[in-house]
Amino acid sequence: MPKKLSALLIALAFLGLFWWWPKSHTTPKAEGPTQAPKSKPTADTVKQRALTKNTLEDLSDTKKEPRTRMRQLIDLKENLDKGENVEKLVGFIVSPNPYHSSRSIDPHSFQAHQHQQEASLRVYALRLLSENLTLEEFSKAVQSIVKDSQDQAIKRIAKQALAAKENGQNYFENLKQGIQNSPLPED
Amino acid sequence: MKTALLLTLLSLFSSSAVWATNYFDKEETCLQKSDVEAVQSHFTQFKKFTNQSGDKICKGEGIDSKWFDVLRNVLAMQRLTLTDQLQHDDNDELTLRPIPQKDWWGYFTQRADRFVIEPAYCSSNENVVAYVQFFARGRIHLCPKFFEKGAADQIEVLMHEVRHFDGHGHVTCTQGNENGSRGACDDTINSAGSYAISVQAAVELSYVEQLSDEERLMSEASAIYSVNNKFNSLPTVKSEDYIYLSNSAGEIHRSKTDDLSDTQFVTTLDSPARIFSNGSEFTVFPFDASKKAYRVSKGFEFKVDAIGAFANQYNDENEHERSLYSGINYYGVGAIAKDDKLYAFCGQNATSLTSFPFAGGAIKSVFNLKPNNGTEETYVLGESGNVYDFKCDNETGKFSSTKVDLDFPRDTVDSFSFNKGLAFLLTESGELLSYNFGRDEINSTSLPSDSWLNATPFQVYRVFDDASAE
């Protein structure tokens, strides 16, 4: 028995040495990515999860944390069928931002932060459409967004994303790189 | 038995020693005391927390949750800048030194050195997240709402606020959603005011592995929204399209596509090599097969540690096997070719390269083009002169390849596209040609000949202020 216990402890010792390996920080760009980063596979595999009507309606539910709803969007990417789901995603994008106010919002306020988060969810949803639809399909989606959204910035992003896609480009990646290439202020 | 116990204890201690605290995680409950000590000469308020014994500073043990959050954020910001610690290689003429891509830490510490948690102003302004006062340089005031934000948002707020110390205030919006709102916009993005800093910080955070996918994507989306909402002069993004070329002398030159006649010298490698861009870096494959492939920053200033799967596979081979490698492409269905096989990632969960026997025989090159429909496609040029498409079905993880009707010159060695409908071709004689898909026409370009061995595209995106608001 003691020998078995010794062997187990030795095995645990080696396991412990390699279990917590320090992560490196900020990652260099991986080989040839031009799409938004894929979510990591989860135990309840995304492919098997049915895309229900409720999932898409949940996107507008402000009682749910924005991070939770972003996770839903990430998972949605794997199941972005055409037709009804795309229509509902467009519906989310054009839906009014619940933190929009006709009065000025203090830009440093928490309400402004909440407004920004809601807008960010819509921007990511737009990115999903631009990267997963054909040019023709995305063009139709953009027409709806430009017609029905009340958010000037969202409309602008949609139009630019379409223009880039028509030229075989990815507006979101291009803009990120452009911002990366902008220098910090000199001191 | 005693030996086994000792080994177990040693492993536990050593594993805790190599445990890296994730300062980007709000759920972290302890900080490394040595990390806080390293910054306390600047943030002197932190000294009161490092006076206690032990090698960790844990929430609730001599430090409340809000101060803990402040310390955590400072340590996270210190790690926001990517640097590569490199060792000088005598065999390499490239300068090897750590160069921060953006010195966020320097930017922040040159402006801030203390925090005020929940000052009285916050009570009468419940919605305020954080603020600074121009006359109290260095001091950041944090209100209760700051601590409700996510980790990435908190860092963005801190970076944003300190820019106000430089006299950058906001202006009234003259366009867009917040037209007429005081203090809700900046004039231009390139004036690098606080909103521009927010945008830059958010993009930087979108690359931080230690943040969750959700936070990274929220940061990225937030930056894109702000670009289109927070500036009176609406920014646009445009690319400068470069072709990078290597010649038989080991020199790297580059030329802009809008004036190919003007080539600029970039650097000289220690030996002639083919270079391949992946959009942000270059991977260098020396012609001398006894030398290993390596990867460099986009300005060729320094080598990077992670060289990618293609270069790793190449380097793992012996000299003879390396000589069989030909085409390499990092865009689209990226692939590396060896004789008559292609190696690529295919499938949603692919974590290793899969080989694909190419029906067209020995492979000359692999490249991405944008035919007239604008969709980017990957193609393979065989030694036979025939061109094939090359596709990966991510659902099944399977490759396919079909001959296409592209009549490239027999001596084409490489090709690429920037915009739809047009491709560039490099020939064995070092000539750069252009190919128009619509007219099926090949023309010369004005690129001066200089025994070019290979060419690779590199687009540099920049954000410009646009005077005309839509």
Side-chain angles (χ1 to χ4, degrees):
Chain A
M1 189 62 74
K3 278 188 184 172
K4 281 186 184 174
L5 188 54
S6 301
L8 178 62
L9 287 171
I10 290 169
L12 281 173
F14 279 107
L15 193 65
L17 279 170
F18 294 106
W19 189 256
W20 293 289
W21 197 258
K23 279 184 179 179
S24 60
H25 51 82
T26 314
T27 178
K29 190 175 176 181
E31 251 156 50
T34 57
Q35 302 283 333
K38 291 185 179 173
S39 58
K40 297 184 179 93
T42 51
D44 47 339
T45 313
V46 168
K47 267 182 149 325
Q48 276 81 51
R49 194 182 305 154
L51 186 62
T52 64
K53 185 179 174 182
N54 287 339
T55 304
L56 283 167
E57 283 174 351
D58 281 350
L59 290 174
S60 301
D61 182 2
T62 55
K63 289 194 204 73
K64 281 193 155 190
E65 287 281 335
R67 277 180 62 172
T68 305
R69 288 183 282 145
M70 176 57 87
R71 170 47 61 183
Q72 283 179 284
L73 282 169
I74 294 167
D75 292 344
L76 183 63
K77 181 179 183 236
E78 306 295 338
N79 291 309
L80 196 62
D81 298 318
K82 310 298 187 277
E84 188 189 338
N85 293 336
V86 170
E87 205 179 292
K88 286 185 184 293
L89 206 56
V90 170
F92 169 63
I93 293 168
V94 305
S95 65
N97 188 319
Y99 298 100
H100 175 75
S101 171
S102 54
R103 293 180 297 122
S104 293
I105 309 173
D106 180 345
H108 291 85
S109 70
F110 198 66
Q111 188 181 352
H113 161 69
Q114 290 171 309
H115 182 279
Q116 185 83 2
Q117 291 208 302
E118 290 296 323
S120 300
L121 288 170
R122 285 154 176 79
V123 168
Y124 183 69
L126 183 49
R127 179 170 183 163
L128 279 183
L129 291 177
S130 88
E131 290 175 355
N132 291 283
L133 300 183
T134 64
L135 183 59
E136 193 183 332
E137 288 163 347
F138 185 57
S139 178
K140 284 191 188 136
V142 168
Q143 276 175 29
S144 298
I145 291 165
V146 170
K147 178 170 151 282
D148 296 327
S149 174
Q150 300 303 306
D151 191 317
Q152 307 288 332
I154 292 288
K155 288 201 276 197
R156 190 164 185 267
I157 294 167
K159 285 191 262 190
Q160 289 179 104
L162 179 60
K165 193 172 174 79
E166 283 169 348
N167 204 25
Q169 303 271 347
N170 184 320
Y171 168 73
F172 302 88
E173 278 301 316
N174 293 355
L175 184 54
K176 268 180 72 173
Q177 285 188 42
I179 293 164
Q180 278 284 71
N181 288 330
S182 302
L184 278 175
E186 301 267 325
D187 294 307
Chain B
M1 179 62 180
K2 280 183 184 173
T3 312
L5 263 173
L6 184 61
L7 279 172
T8 308
L9 285 168
L10 273 172
S11 76
L12 285 172
F13 279 121
S14 62
S15 55
S16 67
V18 302
W19 171 268
T21 311
N22 182 1
Y23 295 125
F24 291 93
D25 184 0
K26 278 191 86 174
E27 303 303 311
E28 279 289 354
T29 53
C30 291
L31 315 170
Q32 298 294 329
K33 187 167 141 188
S34 55
D35 289 340
V36 179
E37 284 170 337
V39 302
Q40 69 184 18
S41 60
H42 185 82
F43 296 97
T44 54
Q45 292 171 301
F46 296 178
K47 285 180 182 170
K48 63 186 178 219
F49 304 117
T50 56
N51 283 339
Q52 51 193 318
S53 61
D55 63 355
K56 285 192 174 19
I57 298 170
C58 297
K59 204 186 294 192
E61 297 172 17
I63 180 168
D64 70 24
S65 63
K66 294 194 168 73
W67 270 111
F68 183 87
D69 223 14
V70 167
L71 266 62
R72 184 191 56 71
N73 271 307
V74 166
L75 296 179
M77 284 190 289
Q78 189 183 34
R79 284 146 183 81
L80 191 56
T81 301
L82 170 66
T83 59
D84 281 322
Q85 299 300 320
L86 304 168
Q87 292 179 351
H88 180 67
D89 181 352
D90 288 328
N91 294 322
D92 197 322
E93 289 174 7
L94 281 180
T95 305
L96 301 178
R97 53 194 165 90
I99 300 177
Q101 292 186 358
K102 281 192 184 179
D103 186 7
W104 285 103
W105 183 241
Y107 161 83
F108 186 74
T109 52
Q110 276 155 24
R111 291 164 176 81
D113 59 11
R114 62 180 33 243
F115 300 88
V116 180
I117 295 185
E118 298 182 352
Y121 178 82
C122 300
S123 318
S124 45
N125 295 274
E126 283 178 2
N127 245 322
V128 170
V129 171
Y131 66 95
V132 299
Q133 292 161 317
F134 183 65
F135 52 82
R137 187 181 173 92
R139 196 178 304 171
I140 307 177
H141 302 82
L142 303 173
C143 292
K145 291 291 187 193
F146 174 83
F147 299 97
E148 293 179 29
K149 281 178 165 265
D153 283 333
Q154 287 180 331
I155 291 173
E156 194 193 309
V157 163
L158 293 171
M159 294 297 187
H160 171 111
E161 288 302 325
V162 300
R163 187 57 172 153
H164 287 309
F165 289 132
D166 301 329
H168 284 263
H170 298 307
V171 298
T172 300
C173 293
T174 58
Q175 61 80 30
N177 294 327
E178 296 174 83
N179 195 357
S181 291
R182 284 182 59 186
C185 284
D186 286 347
D187 275 326
T188 67
I189 196 168
N190 286 320
S191 55
S194 292
Y195 283 129
I197 296 300
S198 282
V199 164
Q200 286 195 47
V203 167
E204 196 74 50
L205 288 159
S206 74
Y207 289 111
V208 173
E209 264 191 332
Q210 281 79 357
L211 288 166
S212 65
D213 287 346
E214 298 91 327
E215 283 208 89
R216 288 165 62 186
L217 292 171
M218 284 292 273
S219 279
E220 178 189 281
S222 176
I224 291 168
Y225 187 75
S226 291
V227 166
N228 288 278
N229 194 44
K230 286 295 184 186
F231 301 95
N232 287 336
S233 173
L234 287 164
T236 54
V237 59
K238 292 174 193 162
S239 69
E240 294 170 343
D241 299 339
Y242 290 93
I243 298 175
Y244 278 69
L245 305 121
S246 68
N247 66 18
S248 54
E251 293 171 350
I252 306 298
H253 295 251
R254 72 175 189 179
S255 193
K256 268 197 192 179
T257 56
D258 56 7
D259 185 9
L260 288 169
S261 63
D262 179 24
T263 59
Q264 302 158 351
F265 172 77
V266 176
T267 192
T268 304
L269 304 174
D270 66 346
S271 68
R274 292 181 303 155
I275 58 170
F276 298 94
S277 151
N278 66 359
S280 57
E281 295 153 328
F282 293 94
T283 314
V284 182
F285 288 78
F287 277 99
D288 179 354
S290 69
K291 298 186 176 189
K292 287 188 172 183
Y294 56 94
R295 183 170 282 181
V296 296
S297 60
K298 61 187 175 199
F300 285 83
E301 301 105 338
F302 59 93
K303 283 185 177 178
V304 299
D305 286 343
I307 63 173
F310 298 164
N312 276 323
Q313 172 164 310
Y314 177 88
N315 288 347
D316 283 345
E317 304 262 40
N318 61 39
E319 198 174 320
H320 168 70
E321 294 298 311
R322 286 181 193 168
S323 67
L324 301 176
Y325 281 84
S326 54
I328 301 160
N329 175 40
Y330 287 93
Y331 296 97
V333 184
I336 186 167
K338 180 184 175 186
D339 196 15
D340 62 350
K341 284 195 182 57
L342 287 155
Y343 295 85
F345 290 99
C346 188
Q348 283 163 7
N349 300 322
T351 54
S352 60
L353 292 170
T354 308
S355 73
F356 175 71
F358 179 60
I363 298 163
K364 208 170 189 181
S365 70
V366 188
F367 42 81
N368 263 41
L369 300 178
K370 293 176 185 174
N372 276 342
N373 63 7
T375 308
E376 196 164 358
E377 304 275 4
T378 303
Y379 296 90
V380 181
L381 172 65
E383 287 286 355
S384 58
N386 294 321
V387 182
Y388 296 71
D389 65 16
F390 180 57
K391 295 180 200 266
C392 155
D393 183 336
N394 264 319
E395 298 273 332
T396 60
K398 290 198 178 337
F399 294 111
S400 62
S401 185
T402 315
K403 187 167 173 295
V404 298
D405 189 22
L406 272 178
D407 204 10
F408 282 179
R410 286 296 299 265
D411 63 343
T412 300
V413 297
D414 217 335
S415 183
F416 44 84
S417 284
F418 288 97
N419 298 309
K420 75 170 185 180
L422 186 70
F424 290 97
L425 316 172
L426 184 73
T427 67
E428 283 165 8
S429 58
E431 195 184 357
L432 189 75
L433 307 171
S434 67
Y435 174 74
N436 185 304
F437 283 89
R439 295 197 291 267
D440 191 22
E441 196 177 87
I442 291 181
N443 291 300
S444 304
T445 67
S446 55
L447 183 82
S449 60
D450 186 10
S451 56
W452 305 121
L453 296 176
N454 96 304
T456 191
F458 196 88
Q459 287 184 296
V460 179
Y461 290 95
R462 299 205 191 278
V463 178
F464 295 89
D465 300 323
D466 190 335
S468 56
E470 290 171 26

